[in-house]
Amino acid sequence: MPLEIIRNDITKVNADAIVNAANPTLLGGGGVDGAIHKAAGPELLKECRTLGGCNTGQAKITKGYKLPAKYVIHTVGPVWQGGGYNEEKLLADCYRNSLALAKEYGLESIAFPLISSGAYGYPKDQALKVAISVIGDFLLKNEMTVYLVVYDKSSFRLSEKLYSSIKQYIDDRYVDEHHVKRISRHIAYNAAEDRKIAEDNIQLESFTLFESARTLEELVNQTDETFSQMLLRLIDEKGLTDAQVYNRANIDRRLFSKIRNNIDYKPSKQTVIAFAIALELNLDQTKDLLLKAGYALSRSSKFDIIVEYFIKNGNYNIFEINEALFAFDQKLLGA
Ligand code: APR
């Protein structure tokens, strides 16, 4: 998966490079800067002394020394001063210049903390938005694995508006699986003398809960094309290239070529939905693609309901969807 959001201490991440949220002196500090210098050992500071500092928005590279990462890319985020002092552009430059440096060094993976969202006071939801949009743009045109490392959940915050709107959408639809079983048992038990009505109710109950999902077996057996064939057909019909689709699906090239070369490939549900997002399918088309792989959207899955929220709102930015899935402690989209 080209962009992964993970909870970890960045000094433990085994990427080719980890990014340090430094200050202009590059001579160490607190927060992630302090943690990296502590884990890398004194030689890191020794090398930093030779760099002559770093301007805000710029990036410089050193070795990783005792860190699992081979390199440390030091970048200096803007101090938040209310938003009127070019902070967004400078923060975006931190990600852009660090990625450019990683690419220049031929690195295959890089890990970022949420730059400026700590001591520098950048509002966490806006800092996250900048990170996701710059990394997402880069990954649509470049192959690299990027980790966005969240140290503590409090530092990972969706915009209040988006968070509450998704939460409301889930509350209106989420049906706890046990609750459904309880209702069905209750109906069956109370109407024991007329089993027929109970069963119809249960059918109705499960039917409405799964909306228009036709019976799985019936539809999967009807299939005249496999998941892989339907995917490739849709890519052609939409006039997209393979690279455009797997990049938008946050799926790496290797997995895509496995799917392309095996018409009976059985993908995970997350992978199917990632392709539905990449192809910008509507809800019914998404359900059809899922059925080809033997899956259905479910009301007892917050993951499914969040994905449905974004499809219904016409937001097919997989990196933003993953941001929301991460915020709700769900698996992310992509391989
Ligand atoms: N791993 C991953 N993320 C971390 C870690 C860690 N070990 N420690 C802190 N963070 C997170 C914080 O939770 C925050 O979300 O990194 C993000 C950035 O916080 P800071 O480290 O405070 O960096 P920043 O806000 O950019 O301020 C930079 O702080 O440490 C000094 O020398 C540094 O002066 C500079 C300023």
Side-chain angles (χ1 to χ4, degrees):
M1 187 195 278
L3 170 59
E4 296 214 38
I5 305 173
I6 57 174
R7 300 230 4 222
N8 203 341
D9 171 346
I10 201 165
T11 62
K12 297 186 172 38
V13 175
N14 188 8
D16 288 349
I18 61 169
V19 175
N20 179 20
N23 61 57
T25 69
L26 293 187
L27 300 180
V32 76
D33 197 0
I36 288 176
H37 275 274
K38 186 161 169 257
E43 291 170 286
L44 177 61
L45 182 57
K46 219 163 128 209
E47 185 176 356
C48 283
R49 285 192 200 289
T50 67
L51 297 177
C54 181
N55 292 330
T56 301
Q58 298 305 306
K60 293 192 175 178
I61 193 165
T62 65
K63 293 190 200 69
Y65 299 104
K66 292 194 186 124
L67 287 161
K70 281 197 284 290
Y71 296 99
V72 178
I73 292 177
H74 306 264
T75 189
V76 179
V79 175
W80 179 255
Q81 302 174 73
Y85 294 82
N86 222 9
E87 293 100 319
E88 184 175 331
K89 182 197 173 300
L90 288 167
L91 183 59
D93 286 348
C94 288
Y95 290 96
R96 235 176 257 128
N97 291 324
S98 301
L99 288 164
L101 205 45
K103 187 175 174 182
E104 187 190 320
Y105 274 64
L107 305 187
E108 291 183 358
S109 58
I110 181 172
F112 283 100
L114 273 170
I115 300 163
S116 284
S117 68
Y120 278 3
Y122 209 107
K124 297 182 189 302
D125 58 326
Q126 293 181 52
L128 179 67
K129 214 160 185 51
V130 171
I132 295 279
S133 74
V134 174
I135 297 168
D137 283 352
F138 175 84
L139 288 175
L140 290 180
K141 302 173 203 99
N142 296 278
E143 297 210 7
M144 194 181 287
T145 299
V146 181
Y147 300 100
L148 190 54
V149 185
V150 177
Y151 191 49
D152 49 63
K153 208 63 201 293
S154 66
S155 64
F156 183 94
R157 201 166 301 142
L158 281 186
S159 71
E160 260 328 297
K161 186 164 158 282
L162 177 59
Y163 188 89
S164 44
S165 149
I166 295 174
K167 180 120 185 35
Q168 188 55 57
Y169 194 82
I170 293 173
D171 293 348
D172 293 350
R173 287 160 181 76
Y174 179 66
V175 179
D176 176 291
E177 213 151 5
H178 313 296
H179 178 60
V180 170
K181 287 199 186 91
R182 248 196 329 278
I183 292 180
S184 313
R185 263 202 308 280
H186 180 69
I187 291 174
Y189 181 75
N190 282 354
E193 67 284 1
D194 186 346
R195 172 79 48 207
K196 183 79 187 65
I197 293 177
E199 270 147 19
D200 287 350
N201 280 351
I202 291 172
Q203 278 303 330
L204 186 67
E205 191 75 26
S206 54
F207 185 80
T208 41
L209 282 181
F210 288 89
E211 289 184 343
S212 59
R214 292 142 290 183
T215 58
L216 225 44
E217 312 71 52
E218 197 182 293
L219 275 126
V220 170
N221 297 334
Q222 254 176 7
T223 172
D224 43 8
E225 65 180 350
T226 65
F227 161 77
S228 170
Q229 288 169 324
M230 179 170 178
L231 174 68
L232 300 178
R233 172 172 60 79
L234 289 171
I235 293 174
D236 291 344
E237 284 171 6
K238 290 184 178 280
L240 294 168
T241 65
D242 290 356
Q244 279 174 318
V245 172
Y246 63 72
N247 283 333
R248 288 182 195 175
N250 197 30
I251 286 200
D252 63 32
R253 181 171 37 82
R254 286 177 297 272
L255 172 59
F256 183 84
S257 50
K258 267 194 220 158
I259 296 172
R260 173 170 270 289
N261 300 325
N262 171 2
I263 65 163
D264 295 318
Y265 185 85
K266 284 282 166 272
S268 71
K269 187 172 185 178
Q270 279 81 9
T271 298
V272 176
I273 293 179
F275 280 118
I277 295 295
L279 292 162
E280 302 195 354
L281 302 185
N282 64 34
L283 211 48
D284 283 341
Q285 292 165 328
T286 300
K287 286 178 185 170
D288 286 344
L289 189 62
L290 278 164
L291 276 175
K292 293 291 178 194
Y295 301 113
L297 287 177
S298 152
R299 283 279 173 265
S300 55
S301 154
K302 290 185 183 174
F303 175 94
D304 291 8
I305 296 172
I306 293 169
V307 167
E308 185 184 302
Y309 171 88
F310 279 90
I311 292 176
K312 281 202 169 156
N313 283 281
N315 181 345
Y316 291 96
N317 182 320
I318 197 154
F319 304 113
E320 287 182 18
I321 298 171
N322 273 341
E323 207 183 306
L325 290 168
F326 186 87
F328 282 89
D329 298 318
Q330 300 300 312
K331 276 188 177 179
L332 304 188
L333 280 175

